[in-house]
Amino acid sequence: MTLPQRRKARRAAPWTTQKTPPAATEVHKPAPTGHTRKGAAAAAAAERIGWLRTAAMLYNRSAQVSSRAWDRETALVRYRKRLALHERRGDRSAAASARADLGLTLMQTGRPEEARAALTAALETHRETGHRPAVSWCLGTIGDLHKIMGD
């Protein structure tokens, strides 16, 4: 399909002319499980040859795909692997981002105490490193967590 044909198809797409968005099942289709397995396998291979930053990036992407496919437990495992790799590398800022992602996923799985611990640790590290947007995000997410918990 040529570029003009794709543009014409996109303009004629039914979801662009609707006043209401499509159903959630149409928007967020679960990712195929093979994709997440391949990503985790690539991350493990990168870790074996010493490419820790690449392995952490691949675990992160695999965790995101798993989380969007509603497989939060697999996402937690992969976020923890990402965190361990960043800590092994000594990258405090990346480890804090990994803790924040882990905290958000823990919050989504209904583990508020673990989520609060992870988000608070991420917040402290982001404050120490001076990453103001991440501090803001952590504070907002901790506020959402307290709202969910009824505090």
Side-chain angles (χ1 to χ4, degrees):
M1 184 182 288
T2 64
L3 184 61
Q5 289 171 333
R6 281 187 294 206
R7 285 182 182 149
K8 185 176 179 182
R10 203 173 344 169
R11 280 193 297 266
W15 58 85
T16 58
T17 59
Q18 292 176 346
K19 297 210 185 269
T20 58
T25 55
E26 296 173 21
V27 176
H28 300 289
K29 292 183 181 176
T33 55
H35 179 73
T36 59
R37 275 184 274 144
K38 290 174 186 172
E47 186 178 359
R48 275 194 304 275
I49 62 173
W51 294 3
L52 301 183
R53 183 171 182 242
T54 301
M57 178 195 66
L58 289 168
Y59 277 127
N60 180 48
R61 185 66 191 131
S62 181
Q64 289 172 344
V65 170
S66 295
S67 183
R68 288 186 184 127
W70 299 99
D71 187 4
R72 305 271 195 234
E73 294 303 319
T74 302
L76 285 172
V77 168
R78 294 188 178 143
Y79 278 134
R80 286 186 174 115
K81 286 182 181 181
R82 173 185 169 212
L83 174 60
L85 287 172
H86 284 310
E87 287 176 341
R88 195 165 121 195
R89 289 179 54 233
D91 189 347
R92 294 179 60 223
S93 181
S97 294
R99 270 192 202 92
D101 289 338
L102 181 64
L104 179 63
T105 307
L106 285 165
M107 186 171 84
Q108 292 168 343
T109 57
R111 301 178 195 171
E113 294 305 320
E114 292 176 60
R116 183 186 306 177
L119 289 167
T120 304
L123 175 63
E124 291 171 8
T125 306
H126 283 311
R127 279 186 174 153
E128 290 170 8
T129 58
H131 195 303
R132 292 174 64 186
V135 168
S136 172
W137 185 88
C138 285
L139 286 171
T141 306
I142 290 171
D144 291 342
L145 180 62
H146 282 286
K147 184 178 178 181
I148 290 169
M149 292 173 63
D151 291 345

